[in-house]
Amino acid sequence: MEKNRMDSNLTNVPEENHEERIKHNEKGCSRTKNKHWYVGIFIASVLLYTIVIAVEGAYPFGKRCFLTDDAYVQYNTMLRTLIEYVHSGDKSAILWNRGMGTDMYLTALYYLMSPFNIIALLMGEKHVELALIFIIVLKGSLVTVTGLYYFRNTTVFANEDRNSKAGGWVSFCCALAWGFCGYLVAYGQNIIWLDAIILMPLIALAVEKVNMGESYIRYILLLTLVFIFNFYYAFYVCMFIVVYYILLDRRTFGELLRNGLKLAGLSVAAVMLAGIVLVPAALSIMKAGDTTLNSSDTLDMWGDFGHYIVSFFPFKEVTNGYMYNNNNYCGTIVVLLLFVFVLSSSVSLKDKLKYAAVVLMFMLAANFLPLNYVFHGFVVPHGTGNRFAIILTFVMLMIAYRILTDIESVKTYAVAGAGIAGGVVFALSFTDENMLQVFYCYVGFLLVMAVSLIVMVLLSRKSIKKTTALVIIMVLWVAEICCNMVVTMKDKANEGDMIDNIHLSEWNAQYQMLNTDGKSRKTALLNDNYVQNSDVNWYSSMINGYYVNAFETMGMAHFDNVECVYDGATPLTAMMYNVRYVLTNSKNTNGGYHSIYSGEIYSVYEADELADWGFMTGEGIKKWNADGNVAENQSKFLECGFGDELADLNSENLQNSLQLSQLMELIPWGDISYDVAHGLGMLQRYMAPEGRFINRGLTQIFNFGDFKETGIGEYIYSGNSTQYHACVQLRFTADRDMDLYVYSADNRDQAVTTYIDGEESSSVMYTSSGQLAYGGHVKKGQKVKVSVIGGASVGESAIKEIQLYSFNTELFEKAKSSITDETLISDGFSGNTFKGHVTAKKDGVLYLAFPYSDGYTIYVDGRKAEKILLGKGNMGVELSGGEHEIKLEYHTPGFAFGIIVSCAGLVFLVLICMHGRTKRKAAVK
């Protein structure tokens, strides 16, 4: 009876309302089905990551660590820094105990703005590595979810088949290929990029809406989030927006321009909203340190053609660390469908031309240096090349989606033509003999292509049904994607355990016991740059550029313009940077230090003498520009800062004074005795005589590399061994007593080891782009061997420089009393402020043991004073004679102006909302 009553009620409902209810019920059912798709692809992605981790034997399935590359080197330490910062009571903008003063806000802008970092905060410092694995798996799985949302909702290819079950599976496969493409397999552990990649498909849909005159606010907010989450990768997202907009259909050229200007205006609104991020970030980038990692002398104009083709094949080895990195895989079927798209009669000529132009442009950019430079934002990236390639992958998957959802219209001739083109591509993949892959890379591509061609030919001849053809193709595609993920990720995990392969527990307690009482700094460096245990070391793309330049010009260890490491000190730089303790597994690489503990795993060194947080110098220090080599820069620092004092100490004769003013002297590589060279002032490089026997028997030996000499101690080289680093050995017999320093620079990694009479005297255990290394005290007649390795791989060119210097200990001892006589004594750090006091005997310049930064304001006796840039990155302030109170205050440059810009952007957003509401009301009326 109840059922009859319900039926009676339904019959009494007006017909119009009844139809609306049916549509509403159908829509609710569709939403439920859609949820199943999204939940399904998320679970499938998580399972695939889990399988990879298990196969690798990584935690929790083994002792190895899943984290590699930047996830292991940088993001690990950055998340630890965030946890420490959040849990500390101090919320100042600067971390005084990191990188000699590091801007926490700028660090957060680049590394720590992702909302997923809350996972690390919840799990705590003891489980940072595990939290990083969860973050990578979660973000990587969400890439497929938003990719699926795009393919199920895009209006670019209007096809009702996408709402069918078959269309749903096509969308599923495209999304899976997007989430596990070669780009993300290779670069997926750059987790700070993944937030933007998650949002890219949603932004594509928002661009479609803007093109139709709808949903302006959605586009603004999504783009604003990209700028906030990672402003760097937003550059590539903006490039993607331009490309995607070009690919959309318009009826007239005028409509293209109008909608393009509208899109540009909305993008400006997003930029303004993110002003609090973009303004400080832009100012920081403008002050970035000088880069030397890539040189026009070692960069090829063209990439490797055969290697580029293979990058689209399954099971191709994942590569990074080189400018022409290519990891373009997204499925063999996608390559085949690209050719079908070009030959298909169902695709308009206009679409063919647009898509072909975009695909060819990105392929050219990946292999042609000038265009590659432009597409990377007018820079040559270090480490990971072809960062824009994700756009090409997205466009290729768009093409694949279009053909698969309309596969029954593909003609036999188009399939045949695609097969011929695929065969040509396969043959061309063997043109680069030096980059050949494992055999199953080629076999896999050929087999999948052959089966796919047969299926499409049968379908075009109506020999099989569309559903059957799609099932075969998609099963092949999914199986290939999953196998490629497992195979290419195999053996990519770190051998280190989840505690970190530097075994923090073995030395952290000792480090914490090194007490400086706030009067000096300390640092630790064992195999990896573990920045939490260093007041000096820092590794960040947002590092203070002046800091990098200061270290580079004084011979301290650095990696291009992103990392500074306290290694390679002389007695002078030890005083300049106020570092008392060095805990390291490198051996005796810092001059001016003595060992206080020596063990199997690490040693601890203490400075012979320090000069507090700064010291008084003469007015002449303002003329010191640090534009020479490292030896000249250190010598000139002493000469400009303490020339008068040294002249008074050595007033016997002017000539002797001039000789003593050279703190570090180049050991000439010529057939001339040291005494003669010294007397003639021949302290610069000059041509070596014929042959390899130079400077009283100095010989050069080259191992595991092809070296071409371009000057004295200068080479262009490439590695020729996959097992050993290219190496230069210098051997000579000392003709006098000396404190030997070796300077080595390389636009790849490099490290130095020195032997005296066959015994290891010093060894650098952490590679850098360049540094001095203390070779030890060498006595006359002792045999010296200097071994310098380079990081260029097989077939990759790099530039290396090696020079030998002697340190004038006698001169430094005379200058030391002047340096330590008038020092800046700390009164403590508090928030953004350092306070200290100094007594100056006469007018001069106070050198400060802090790198220069635009964020610093110096107060002398409560009054604002002008800070001075000393050399390329050091800082000072002029003082009159007498006692002075010094205050150093830090504020993030551009932060206040960024807030103003963001507020203006918020007003702009409100105006856009009001305009939209007014427009909608007018449309209703």
Side-chain angles (χ1 to χ4, degrees):
M1 182 177 293
E2 185 66 28
K3 182 178 183 299
N4 292 336
R5 188 181 297 117
M6 290 175 64
D7 290 340
S8 175
N9 290 338
L10 284 172
T11 55
N12 294 329
V13 175
E15 184 178 348
E16 188 174 318
N17 292 345
H18 182 60
E19 289 177 357
E20 287 179 3
R21 180 174 294 179
I22 292 173
K23 287 180 181 179
H24 178 75
N25 290 337
E26 288 177 350
K27 197 171 183 180
C29 183
S30 175
R31 283 175 181 165
T32 302
K33 290 181 179 179
N34 280 338
K35 288 179 182 178
H36 292 159
W37 283 109
Y38 300 127
V39 172
I41 199 168
F42 179 79
I43 293 174
S45 301
V46 171
L47 286 175
L48 187 50
Y49 272 108
T50 304
I51 292 170
V52 168
I53 294 171
V55 169
E56 290 184 349
Y59 183 85
F61 303 100
K63 293 183 178 180
R64 303 176 76 208
C65 182
F66 180 64
L67 306 178
T68 61
D69 302 324
D70 283 351
Y72 186 73
V73 178
Q74 280 190 287
Y75 309 146
N76 186 341
T77 57
M78 291 303 173
L79 284 178
R80 292 180 186 277
T81 301
L82 175 65
I83 293 169
E84 180 183 324
Y85 183 79
V86 169
H87 291 161
S88 70
D90 185 8
K91 296 299 182 290
S92 56
I94 190 170
L95 302 176
W96 294 105
N97 62 342
R98 298 284 188 276
M100 297 206 298
T102 293
D103 192 312
M104 181 59 191
Y105 183 66
L106 290 176
T107 300
L109 293 188
Y110 192 86
Y111 292 99
L112 303 171
M113 299 300 287
S114 170
F116 294 93
N117 291 337
I118 190 69
I119 296 173
L121 290 173
L122 293 174
M123 294 183 69
E125 187 176 3
K126 291 183 178 180
H127 304 289
V128 169
E129 289 90 351
L130 187 58
L132 270 168
I133 294 174
F134 286 154
I135 291 171
I136 290 170
V137 172
L138 181 57
K139 285 187 179 184
S141 301
L142 286 176
V143 169
T144 61
V145 173
T146 58
L148 179 62
Y149 185 81
Y150 167 82
F151 287 111
R152 290 186 64 80
N153 291 277
T154 180
T155 58
V156 173
F157 307 124
N159 193 321
E160 290 300 320
D161 189 55
R162 74 179 180 190
N163 295 319
S164 66
K165 194 170 185 179
W169 281 110
V170 170
S171 300
F172 184 93
C173 289
C174 288
L176 200 67
W178 167 245
F180 294 98
C181 62
Y183 185 97
L184 287 173
V185 170
Y187 305 155
Q189 296 215 10
N190 289 72
I191 58 171
I192 59 175
W193 298 359
L194 292 180
D195 299 77
I197 294 174
I198 290 170
L199 293 176
M200 274 178 66
L202 305 182
I203 288 178
L205 294 175
V207 172
E208 292 179 25
K209 293 294 185 181
V210 171
N211 190 54
M212 294 185 291
E214 305 172 9
S215 302
Y216 298 161
I217 303 302
R218 182 189 305 175
Y219 173 79
I220 294 173
L221 294 180
L222 284 172
L223 186 54
T224 301
L225 287 177
V226 171
F227 284 128
I228 292 173
F229 291 160
N230 187 250
F231 68 87
Y232 168 75
Y233 206 79
F235 170 79
Y236 300 104
V237 174
C238 290
M239 187 188 302
F240 167 74
I241 289 170
V242 172
V243 168
Y244 194 81
Y245 176 73
I246 291 172
L247 293 176
L248 297 178
D249 285 329
R250 259 82 47 176
R251 285 169 293 183
T252 64
F253 183 72
E255 186 179 355
L256 172 71
L257 290 179
R258 284 193 303 274
N259 289 344
L261 290 173
K262 188 189 303 177
L263 189 69
L266 298 175
S267 300
V268 170
V271 169
M272 293 175 66
L273 272 175
I276 194 171
V277 167
L278 297 180
V279 172
L283 292 176
S284 175
I285 291 170
M286 289 168 61
K287 300 293 184 179
D290 299 328
T291 179
T292 58
L293 195 62
N294 288 299
S295 167
S296 58
D297 294 329
T298 58
L299 290 175
D300 296 326
M301 183 62 70
W302 293 95
D304 304 305
F305 184 63
H307 185 243
Y308 185 74
I309 291 176
V310 176
S311 71
F312 294 91
F313 290 13
F315 316 124
K316 180 256 178 189
E317 181 185 6
V318 171
T319 59
N320 53 30
Y322 179 49
M323 179 179 168
Y324 292 119
N325 287 320
N326 297 299
N327 301 282
N328 296 305
Y329 170 78
C330 54
T332 300
I333 186 64
V334 178
V335 177
L336 194 61
L337 294 178
L338 181 64
F339 297 124
V340 172
F341 178 85
V342 174
L343 297 171
S344 177
S345 59
S346 63
V347 180
S348 68
L349 178 61
K350 183 177 72 172
D351 281 351
K352 289 179 182 179
L353 291 175
K354 283 196 300 184
Y355 280 87
V358 168
V359 169
L360 291 174
M361 178 179 65
F362 277 94
M363 288 183 173
L364 180 62
N367 293 281
F368 183 49
L369 181 60
L371 197 57
N372 193 288
Y373 177 76
V374 172
F375 276 35
H376 279 118
F378 300 95
V379 297
V380 177
H382 58 75
T384 304
N386 287 343
R387 303 181 181 195
F388 49 79
I390 190 69
I391 302 173
L392 174 64
T393 298
F394 193 92
V395 173
M396 290 181 66
L397 287 170
M398 289 173 63
I399 292 171
Y401 173 78
R402 175 169 181 171
I403 297 299
L404 287 174
T405 53
D406 192 28
I407 195 170
E408 70 274 11
S409 66
V410 175
K411 306 299 182 184
T412 305
Y413 72 86
V415 179
I420 294 171
V424 172
V425 165
F426 181 77
L428 291 174
S429 67
F430 293 95
T431 56
D432 189 357
E433 296 180 358
N434 294 325
M435 296 285 191
L436 292 179
Q437 300 292 310
V438 291
F439 76 94
Y440 48 82
C441 171
Y442 304 96
V443 172
F445 177 82
L446 200 59
L447 285 177
V448 174
M449 184 176 69
V451 173
S452 301
L453 284 170
I454 292 170
V455 169
M456 284 193 288
V457 167
L458 292 174
L459 177 63
S460 66
R461 297 174 64 85
K462 310 300 181 185
S463 299
I464 59 174
K465 293 182 179 181
K466 174 185 174 182
T467 304
T468 304
L470 283 176
V471 167
I472 295 172
I473 288 172
M474 287 186 291
V475 168
L476 270 176
W477 195 5
V478 170
E480 184 188 43
I481 290 169
C482 294
C483 291
N484 178 77
M485 178 71 173
V486 173
V487 170
T488 55
M489 290 292 286
K490 185 182 179 184
D491 298 328
K492 198 181 177 188
N494 264 313
E495 293 296 337
D497 57 28
M498 290 299 292
I499 299 174
D500 214 273
N501 74 352
I502 54 179
H503 300 295
L504 177 62
S505 60
E506 295 179 352
W507 56 268
N508 186 47
Q510 175 73 41
Y511 180 80
Q512 299 303 329
M513 290 172 61
L514 299 174
N515 187 13
T516 62
D517 291 326
K519 297 178 181 179
S520 58
R521 297 184 173 106
K522 61 180 180 178
T523 185
L525 183 74
L526 282 85
N527 296 326
D528 286 286
N529 190 356
Y530 200 79
V531 297
Q532 277 65 41
N533 284 28
S534 177
D535 298 335
V536 188
N537 301 346
W538 195 244
Y539 185 4
S540 167
S541 294
M542 300 302 289
I543 195 171
N544 178 2
Y546 291 108
Y547 175 31
V548 177
N549 291 340
F551 262 42
E552 181 182 4
T553 54
M554 299 304 283
M556 302 298 295
H558 65 283
F559 179 73
D560 196 41
N561 60 352
V562 296
E563 180 181 27
C564 288
V565 171
Y566 192 81
D567 199 27
T570 66
L572 173 61
T573 50
M575 287 189 166
M576 290 177 67
Y577 301 123
N578 197 29
V579 179
R580 178 166 299 281
Y581 297 112
V582 178
L583 187 153
T584 179
N585 63 338
S586 293
K587 181 179 180 181
N588 198 34
T589 53
N590 294 294
Y593 285 81
H594 58 276
S595 175
I596 60 174
Y597 171 80
S598 180
E600 292 183 4
I601 299 173
Y602 64 87
S603 298
V604 180
Y605 297 88
E606 183 178 6
D608 297 336
E609 195 163 0
L610 295 178
D612 296 310
W613 295 97
F615 45 83
M616 290 299 299
T617 67
E619 293 279 353
I621 196 68
K622 292 187 289 185
K623 298 178 182 179
W624 178 62
N625 49 25
D627 57 358
N629 60 47
V630 295
E632 292 167 344
N633 293 338
Q634 294 207 26
S635 297
K636 284 292 183 182
F637 179 90
L638 209 61
E639 180 182 330
C640 293
F642 301 95
D644 293 340
E645 288 83 350
L646 293 175
D648 291 340
L649 289 170
N650 299 280
S651 58
E652 300 88 58
N653 61 77
L654 180 61
Q655 184 179 0
N656 189 44
S657 176
L658 286 173
Q659 288 180 5
L660 285 175
S661 67
Q662 298 298 327
L663 179 66
M664 295 189 73
E665 297 176 332
L666 180 71
I667 299 176
W669 287 32
D671 192 14
I672 185 172
S673 70
Y674 173 83
D675 294 335
V676 174
H678 185 274
L680 295 175
M682 298 179 70
L683 303 176
Q684 303 299 319
R685 299 172 202 158
Y686 50 88
M687 294 305 295
E690 295 295 327
R692 291 293 174 266
F693 294 91
I694 56 179
N695 193 26
R696 305 160 312 284
L698 188 148
T699 61
Q700 299 174 92
I701 301 172
F702 305 115
N703 296 313
F704 310 117
D706 300 316
F707 287 83
K708 176 185 176 182
E709 294 181 75
T710 56
I712 304 302
E714 296 177 345
Y715 316 87
I716 289 180
Y717 76 99
S718 61
N720 60 20
S721 171
T722 57
Q723 293 182 310
Y724 303 100
H725 292 291
C727 176
V728 180
Q729 286 187 7
L730 305 178
R731 301 188 181 194
F732 65 94
T733 300
D735 63 349
R736 64 185 179 92
D737 292 355
M738 68 176 77
D739 281 318
L740 176 65
Y741 283 83
V742 181
Y743 178 75
S744 175
D746 199 306
N747 59 351
R748 292 296 178 263
D749 293 347
Q750 63 82 40
V752 179
T753 304
T754 305
Y755 302 86
I756 300 175
D757 286 341
E759 295 290 330
E760 186 179 83
S761 171
S762 67
S763 61
V764 174
M765 299 301 293
Y766 186 79
T767 57
S768 66
S769 296
Q771 69 169 92
L772 283 169
Y774 181 49
H777 183 72
V778 183
K779 294 182 179 180
K780 183 177 179 179
Q782 288 188 311
K783 294 181 179 180
V784 179
K785 181 177 76 172
V786 176
S787 180
V788 184
I789 66 168
S793 57
V794 176
E796 181 184 15
S797 296
I799 295 175
K800 178 172 285 299
E801 177 187 355
I802 307 171
Q803 293 299 333
L804 306 178
Y805 297 104
S806 62
F807 188 85
N808 194 328
T809 304
E810 180 185 356
L811 173 65
F812 185 73
E813 287 299 318
K814 292 180 179 180
K816 191 163 62 174
S817 60
S818 299
I819 294 174
T820 58
D821 194 29
E822 305 165 82
T823 61
L824 176 63
I825 308 300
S826 172
D827 292 327
F829 296 86
S830 177
N832 291 333
T833 303
F834 163 81
K835 292 181 180 180
H837 62 275
V838 62
T839 301
K841 293 182 178 179
K842 60 180 181 179
D843 295 354
V845 175
L846 174 65
Y847 165 85
L848 295 165
F850 301 94
Y852 186 92
S853 171
D854 292 334
Y856 284 125
T857 303
I858 300 177
Y859 296 90
V860 177
D861 300 326
R863 295 183 180 180
K864 186 177 178 180
E866 183 180 356
K867 60 181 179 287
I868 303 172
L869 175 62
L870 301 177
K872 300 299 183 186
N874 299 281
M875 184 167 60
V877 62
E878 288 191 80
L879 293 182
S880 59
E883 296 182 359
H884 297 285
E885 298 292 328
I886 306 297
K887 183 171 76 169
L888 192 62
E889 196 170 85
Y890 184 85
H891 297 284
T892 302
F895 180 75
F897 184 67
I899 292 176
I900 295 172
V901 172
S902 288
C903 290
L906 190 60
V907 173
F908 192 7
L909 181 66
V910 171
L911 291 175
I912 292 173
C913 290
M914 292 174 63
H915 174 72
R917 182 178 296 177
T918 303
K919 193 174 180 180
R920 285 193 296 273
K921 286 182 178 180
V924 171
K925 291 181 180 180

